Amino acid sequence: MNAQANEVPRCAKDLTPEKIELPRYPTSPQKPKEMNGEVFLQFIVEQSGAVSNPIIVESSHIRFGHLALEAVSLYKYPPQSEKCSHQLKVTFVIE
């Protein structure tokens, strides 16, 4: 957990974004038929509902981590009475 997130209260567990940006799946000419993974992120939800200071807590693959950061930075949550710390799991699945 980053130091800045320790300074703010945790968000409600049922906090759901109003706007979600789906992460891009990594493309590569050598892409295997099936490459799945998970990324755990932590970030601050500002009073406006904007996401700030996202960090990768854990990632099954470095490329997934960066793509998840890119996507969650564009999420928009409902306005909050005060900023709060939130954790999120992003799952990459190709079918």
Side-chain angles (χ1 to χ4, degrees):
M1 192 177 292
N2 70 23
Q4 202 166 20
N6 282 332
E7 299 169 7
V8 298
R10 282 193 157 309
C11 297
K13 289 187 181 200
D14 62 349
L15 184 64
T16 304
E18 295 177 332
K19 177 188 167 210
I20 295 176
E21 183 72 26
L22 296 177
R24 294 179 296 114
Y25 192 85
T27 57
S28 165
Q30 300 93 9
K31 181 174 68 176
K33 287 185 180 179
E34 195 170 313
M35 186 174 162
N36 302 327
E38 294 180 331
V39 180
F40 292 90
L41 301 173
Q42 182 172 338
F43 50 89
I44 303 295
V45 178
E46 299 290 340
Q47 284 183 284
S48 67
V51 170
S52 66
N53 303 326
I55 63 163
I56 300 167
V57 175
E58 185 179 330
S59 180
S60 61
H61 191 282
I62 189 75
R63 289 180 70 193
F64 289 149
H66 292 293
L67 294 170
L69 279 177
E70 186 180 292
V72 82
S73 294
L74 300 173
Y75 277 28
K76 179 73 173 169
Y77 286 86
Q80 303 295 302
S81 59
E82 62 181 338
K83 66 182 178 180
C84 57
S85 172
H86 193 54
Q87 289 191 339
L88 180 70
K89 176 175 83 170
V90 178
T91 304
F92 289 83
V93 179
I94 192 165
E95 299 172 347

